[in-house]
Amino acid sequence: HCHPRVCFPDHAALQFAQRGAKVVVNDLGGAVDGSGGSSEAAAKVVQEIKDIGGEAISNGSSVTDKAGVQKLVEDAMAAYGRIDVLVNNAGVLRDKSFAKVTLDDFEFVVDVHLMGSVYCTKAVWPIMVEQQYGRIIMTSSSSGVFGNFGQSNYGSAKMGVVGFMNTLKIEGQKNNIKVNSLIPVAATRMTENLGMPEEVLKQLKPESVSPAVLFMASDDAPTGIMLSAGAGVFAKVEIAQAAGVGFAGDDINPDKIAEHWNDISDMTDAKQLFNGGEHTAAMFAKVKS
């Protein structure tokens, strides 16, 4: 399930097809803010895939429409009989500072990015469990993981898909379902208004992001990772916890935290934790009686 309206996916869809995948291209079409709708973009990608001898069909469902998503999955199963890879990439932008953003625009952006990913993933999950195989890619963003002015709605959703991934990576393990998140930087309709120099935009071509998608969709992919990709640069991104400091039971107060803040915030021996249980275990390892 690719969404040619945003970032890299038409090229990713082509790369999947070149490697023998049968592709279902989903695109509602429309403007970057989610208004309007046309299936032309999806049809164009399908034709490009057919031109190189691949197999593809298009679908114009909105990822915010539960029935439409179900039809998308039913179309894929009717055409190909299984679904091995889901790329959650549908997205819209309605940028404004938090002081100025309307709650309707906030909810709409979260619905498309986060709930759209939930709806599509929910629809394919039982199929992947049955197959004992699945690869799911969320599309996150530096706006969520690190922050960006004017994108409180988009950033909330983009960190939301990481939280979604973090539980699915655990629940999918026994069924060979791997779930990862992409943090892409590409020159697209979403970035064309940022005023970047032409030579920079040339380096940020979507082709430099697609390999990360195919890597995370591969048989030997890791699971539960965030992977930054753009301009040929790839980097794993982590949420990590410092070693921390433990205080004795009757001697816990905010002044102590302030006094020991340098040690509490020292990330020298920070670790990435795989689940909430590891977080609790790390805490109890430091508990002072």
Side-chain angles (χ1 to χ4, degrees):
H1 166 79
C2 293
H3 201 297
R5 178 152 49 104
V6 188
C7 280
F8 54 86
D10 43 357
H11 186 264
L14 282 164
Q15 284 208 341
F16 273 118
Q18 283 167 350
R19 289 170 179 253
K22 298 175 177 70
V23 182
V24 181
V25 183
N26 166 257
D27 189 9
L28 177 61
V32 168
D33 70 357
S35 58
S38 159
S39 57
E40 284 175 31
K44 178 174 171 286
V45 178
V46 167
Q47 190 54 53
E48 286 177 22
I49 289 171
K50 288 181 175 174
D51 289 346
I52 62 169
E55 284 189 58
I57 59 173
S58 66
N59 174 284
S61 296
S62 167
V63 296
T64 59
D65 172 15
K66 297 185 190 78
V69 169
Q70 198 55 47
K71 183 179 186 311
L72 163 65
V73 170
E74 286 167 5
D75 286 354
M77 290 300 285
Y80 303 129
R82 59 185 290 131
I83 298 174
D84 295 295
V85 178
L86 168 67
V87 181
N88 285 309
N89 192 64
V92 292
L93 290 179
R94 291 191 179 176
D95 292 359
K96 274 196 171 72
S97 68
F98 188 63
K100 293 178 181 172
V101 71
T102 67
L103 291 176
D104 283 348
D105 278 355
F106 200 107
E107 286 176 10
F108 182 70
V109 168
V110 171
D111 275 350
V112 173
H113 289 276
L114 177 56
M115 295 312 298
S117 298
V118 172
Y119 295 159
C120 293
T121 303
K122 182 71 171 172
V124 304
W125 193 262
I127 295 164
M128 291 180 172
V129 168
E130 178 79 19
Q131 292 170 174
Q132 291 290 291
Y133 187 94
R135 299 291 180 266
I136 298 170
I137 291 104
M138 309 292 174
T139 306
S140 185
S141 169
S142 59
S143 301
V145 180
F146 302 114
N148 196 28
F149 186 92
Q151 294 195 315
S152 57
N153 48 8
Y154 180 74
S156 297
K158 287 310 194 185
M159 204 58 191
V161 298
V162 172
F164 184 40
M165 169 194 81
N166 281 335
T167 285
L168 295 186
K169 76 186 179 191
I170 298 165
E171 295 184 3
Q173 278 183 307
K174 66 180 182 298
N175 300 118
N176 189 24
I177 301 172
K178 295 181 177 180
V179 191
N180 295 292
S181 293
L182 178 73
I183 302 175
V185 181
T188 67
R189 287 164 60 188
M190 282 196 168
T191 57
E192 64 192 13
N193 298 325
L194 297 181
M196 294 178 182
E198 190 60 35
E199 57 271 23
V200 173
L201 290 175
K202 280 180 185 163
Q203 284 185 296
L204 291 175
K205 53 186 186 284
E207 291 86 335
S208 67
V209 173
S210 302
V213 182
L214 273 78
F215 168 74
M216 290 188 290
S218 64
D219 283 358
D220 297 327
T223 193
I225 66 152
M226 290 181 279
L227 182 58
S228 166
V233 178
F234 303 90
K236 184 185 180 194
V237 176
E238 288 188 355
I239 296 171
Q241 178 169 305
V245 175
F247 302 119
D250 293 331
D251 196 18
I252 304 172
N253 58 66
D255 299 324
K256 276 275 196 189
I257 296 172
E259 184 186 337
H260 292 272
W261 180 245
N262 284 346
D263 292 331
I264 291 169
S265 61
D266 181 358
M267 301 299 284
T268 307
D269 297 317
K271 288 184 179 159
Q272 184 190 31
L273 308 176
F274 194 75
N275 56 47
E278 290 183 14
H279 176 248
T280 307
M283 185 173 290
F284 277 98
K286 281 277 179 180
V287 167
K288 297 278 176 70
S289 55

